[in-house]
Structure formats: structure tokens, C-alpha cells
Amino acid sequence: AVVAINEEIVGSCIAFRPNYFEGKHYFAPYAYDSENDSLQTKQLGNDQYNYFKMEWFAVPFLTKKPHWSNPYFDKDGGQIMMTTYSYPIMNDKKEVIAVITADISIEWLTHQLCALNLNDNSKILLIGDKGQYISGNLPGIGFQEDIVKYEEAKKNPDFVKLIKKMTSLEKGTMTMRTGHYYSFAVYGPLYNGRSTAIITPTKNTFAKLNFMQFVIAIVSVIGLLLLFLSCRRIIKTLTRPVTEFS
């Protein structure tokens, strides 16, 4: 149901702790969107795919807290680049019995960011806690590459300053030099050490029409944050009956 009624979620599973069910060391039913957009199911877990050691299961299992994973390619699950929201399910003794997940496609996330389309000279980016590039419209940089090594950063101290603010999870605005003109940047944290920024030339930002586009873009980024909160709400709602069952 999670995958069927939420287009932003491309996969979801309930992964149980080792031997929770007698005779089943691994038990993790997984539902996901296939290439032809049909809903498929499979069982995750074997000696080659030991989900007990994977970030999306291990962190919430050990900390007993929800967790957003670092982006990764899930070759045995959804078979795409994704990030996963995981929520631990506990019994009456506060022991974690399972982890329920919601997967979001990095391609989908990139599409949402690029759809903001302020103007040809605007840049939109989403980076990880160590400054690794996750998503956006920066040319010439690959997924998970160190953003500080990006060509713009090599010759632009203002760009480096912005990245340092983002990896420090600061939020705010700044004016920065980009090429032969000045730009206005809005930046702020999203989730689990991730941060996003919109950079657009000041001459475009403060023109009447483009200012409205800029405001819309900021609202859209806030919408992405609400999306992550929505995933959290969806998963938390789904855990109630499972928790009661346990």
C-alpha cells in the first residue's frame, strides 16, 4: 500500500531481526515499482544480501531511532540509486523486532530539484554531510563526488564558503561571486546531515517576475522537506498495527 499510493516512494519493506520467525534467519518482504511501473514483491535477505549489516537496517536497529540512509545503489532491492527512511518497530519491552522502510529514488529527487528551473544561470544542489554531491543541476560533477573538487569551487572561494556553511548545517542567505556576475544564494539543512541550496544571479533574482520564480523555488524546496517529513508520518502510521501485533 505504501508504494501503490505514494508515487515518491519506490519501494518499502518490513525487515525482521534474525530468527524472529522460527526457521527463518532472514525475513524481509519487499514491495517495489518495477521498470514497467507494475508493483512487484520479493523476499530480501540471504548470505549475499545480509541486510542486518546494512545501514538502513543496522542504524535504526541499534539506535532505536528513525534514520535516513546515505544514498546507495540497491542491487538486490529496488536496483536503483536511492535513499531510505527507516523506522524501528519495537515490542512492549522496547526491543526492536523489525525495521520498516520507505525508499526514495535519487533520479526522482533530481527531477524534482531540476524542475524548479529558475533560469539558465541558476544552480540547485543537494549535498551530503561530508560535502558529497547527491543531486541538482551542476554540470561536470558526478554522484557522490566531493563538491569542493568541483570546477567552480577550485576557482571560487565564495563557492567553498557556501559549501562549508552547508556541511555545517547552517541556514541563511549570502551574496557570492559566480563568474562575471554576483549571485544570491539561499541554503539550509534538509535531513540527516543533508543540505540544499539555490544560487541565482542577483540581476535575475530581483527582477519582478524572476523574484516570484525565486520565491516559488524556495517554497518548492520547503516542499521537499515536507516530503521527507511525510515519509516519516506514513511509516510511523503503518507501524502502529505492527507494533500492536508484536
Coordinates of all heavy atoms in Angstrom, one line a residue, residues 2 5 29 35 63 65 123 125 130 132 150 169 187 214 223 227 242:
V2 N 2.0 1.2 0.7 CA 2.9 2.4 0.8 C 3.3 2.8 -0.6 O 3.3 4.0 -1.0 CB 4.1 2.1 1.7 CG1 5.0 3.3 1.7 CG2 3.6 1.8 3.1
I5 N 0.3 3.9 -3.3 CA -0.4 5.2 -3.1 C 0.5 6.4 -3.0 O 0.0 7.5 -2.8 CB -1.5 5.1 -2.0 CG1 -0.7 4.9 -0.6 CG2 -2.5 4.0 -2.2 CD1 -1.7 4.9 0.6
P29 N 9.9 -9.1 3.6 CA 9.1 -8.9 2.4 C 9.2 -7.4 1.9 O 9.1 -6.5 2.7 CB 7.7 -9.2 2.9 CG 7.7 -9.0 4.4 CD 9.1 -9.3 4.8
E35 N 10.3 -1.8 -13.6 CA 10.6 -0.9 -14.8 C 9.3 -0.6 -15.6 O 9.2 0.4 -16.2 CB 11.6 -1.6 -15.7 CG 13.0 -1.7 -15.0 CD 14.0 -2.3 -16.0 OE1 13.6 -2.7 -17.1 OE2 15.2 -2.4 -15.6
T63 N 20.2 2.0 17.3 CA 20.0 3.2 18.0 C 18.5 3.3 18.5 O 18.2 4.2 19.3 CB 20.2 4.4 17.1 OG1 19.3 4.4 15.9 CG2 21.7 4.4 16.6
K65 N 16.2 4.5 16.8 CA 15.7 5.8 16.3 C 15.6 5.8 14.8 O 16.3 5.0 14.1 CB 16.7 6.9 16.7 CG 16.9 7.2 18.2 CD 17.9 8.3 18.4 CE 18.1 8.5 19.9 NZ 19.1 9.5 20.1
K123 N 21.7 27.7 -10.2 CA 22.2 26.3 -9.8 C 21.4 25.9 -8.6 O 21.1 26.7 -7.7 CB 23.7 26.4 -9.5 CG 24.6 26.7 -10.7 CD 26.1 26.7 -10.2 CE 27.0 26.9 -11.4 NZ 26.8 28.2 -12.0
L125 N 21.4 22.6 -5.8 CA 22.2 21.4 -5.4 C 21.8 20.9 -4.0 O 21.3 21.6 -3.2 CB 23.7 21.7 -5.3 CG 24.2 22.8 -4.3 CD1 25.6 22.5 -3.9 CD2 24.1 24.2 -5.0
K130 N 29.2 15.1 4.3 CA 30.7 15.3 4.1 C 31.0 16.1 2.8 O 32.1 16.1 2.3 CB 31.4 13.9 4.0 CG 31.3 13.1 5.3 CD 32.0 11.8 5.1 CE 32.1 11.0 6.4 NZ 30.7 10.8 7.0
Q132 N 29.5 15.6 -0.2 CA 29.4 14.8 -1.4 C 28.1 15.2 -2.2 O 27.1 15.5 -1.6 CB 29.4 13.3 -1.1 CG 28.1 12.8 -0.4 CD 28.3 12.8 1.1 OE1 28.9 13.7 1.7 NE2 27.6 11.9 1.8
Y150 N 34.7 20.3 -7.2 CA 34.0 20.8 -8.4 C 34.7 22.0 -9.0 O 35.3 22.8 -8.3 CB 32.6 21.2 -8.0 CG 31.7 21.8 -9.1 CD1 31.5 21.1 -10.3 CD2 31.1 23.0 -8.9 CE1 30.7 21.7 -11.3 CE2 30.3 23.5 -9.8 CZ 30.1 22.9 -11.0 OH 29.3 23.4 -12.0
L169 N 25.5 22.6 8.4 CA 24.1 22.6 8.6 C 23.6 24.0 9.0 O 22.6 24.1 9.7 CB 23.7 21.5 9.6 CG 24.1 20.1 9.2 CD1 23.5 19.1 10.3 CD2 23.5 19.7 7.9
Y187 N 20.3 28.8 1.4 CA 20.7 27.5 1.8 C 20.2 27.1 3.1 O 19.8 27.9 3.9 CB 22.3 27.4 1.8 CG 22.9 28.4 2.7 CD1 23.2 28.1 4.0 CD2 23.2 29.7 2.3 CE1 23.8 29.0 4.9 CE2 23.8 30.6 3.1 CZ 24.1 30.3 4.4 OH 24.6 31.2 5.3
F214 N 11.8 32.8 -7.9 CA 12.7 32.5 -6.8 C 11.9 32.1 -5.6 O 12.3 31.2 -4.9 CB 13.6 33.8 -6.6 CG 14.7 33.5 -5.7 CD1 15.8 32.6 -6.1 CD2 14.8 34.1 -4.4 CE1 16.8 32.4 -5.2 CE2 15.9 33.8 -3.6 CZ 16.9 33.0 -4.0
G223 N 8.9 22.2 0.2 CA 8.1 21.1 -0.1 C 8.8 19.8 -0.1 O 8.3 18.8 0.4
L227 N 8.2 16.6 2.2 CA 8.1 15.2 1.6 C 8.8 14.2 2.6 O 8.3 13.2 2.9 CB 8.8 15.2 0.2 CG 9.2 13.8 -0.3 CD1 7.9 13.0 -0.5 CD2 10.0 13.9 -1.5
V242 N 1.5 -3.0 13.4 CA 2.5 -4.0 13.5 C 3.0 -4.0 14.9 O 3.3 -5.1 15.5 CB 3.7 -3.6 12.6 CG1 4.8 -4.7 12.7 CG2 3.2 -3.6 11.1

